[in-house]
PDB file of all heavy atoms in Angstrom:
ATOM      1  N   THR A 136     -26.005  -5.072  -1.058  1.00 94.00           N
ATOM      2  CA  THR A 136     -26.653  -6.094  -1.830  1.00 94.00           C
ATOM      3  C   THR A 136     -26.761  -5.723  -3.289  1.00 94.00           C
ATOM      4  O   THR A 136     -26.501  -6.533  -4.217  1.00 94.00           O
ATOM      5  CB  THR A 136     -28.008  -6.450  -1.217  1.00 94.00           C
ATOM      6  OG1 THR A 136     -27.893  -6.767   0.106  1.00 94.00           O
ATOM      7  CG2 THR A 136     -28.704  -7.530  -1.993  1.00 94.00           C
ATOM      8  N   THR A 248      -3.366 -20.731  -1.277  1.00 92.00           N
ATOM      9  CA  THR A 248      -3.971 -19.408  -1.192  1.00 92.00           C
ATOM     10  C   THR A 248      -4.966 -19.287  -0.037  1.00 92.00           C
ATOM     11  O   THR A 248      -4.976 -18.321   0.726  1.00 92.00           O
ATOM     12  CB  THR A 248      -4.730 -19.072  -2.527  1.00 92.00           C
ATOM     13  OG1 THR A 248      -3.758 -19.120  -3.618  1.00 92.00           O
ATOM     14  CG2 THR A 248      -5.401 -17.719  -2.436  1.00 92.00           C
ATOM     15  N   LEU A 249      -5.818 -20.358   0.190  1.00 93.00           N
ATOM     16  CA  LEU A 249      -6.706 -20.334   1.292  1.00 93.00           C
ATOM     17  C   LEU A 249      -5.999 -20.337   2.628  1.00 93.00           C
ATOM     18  O   LEU A 249      -6.419 -19.680   3.584  1.00 93.00           O
ATOM     19  CB  LEU A 249      -7.624 -21.570   1.195  1.00 93.00           C
ATOM     20  CG  LEU A 249      -8.658 -21.567   0.079  1.00 93.00           C
ATOM     21  CD1 LEU A 249      -9.422 -22.894  -0.009  1.00 93.00           C
ATOM     22  CD2 LEU A 249      -9.639 -20.379   0.222  1.00 93.00           C
TER      23      LEU A 249
END
Side-chain angles (χ1 to χ4, degrees):
T136 301
T248 300
L249 290 174

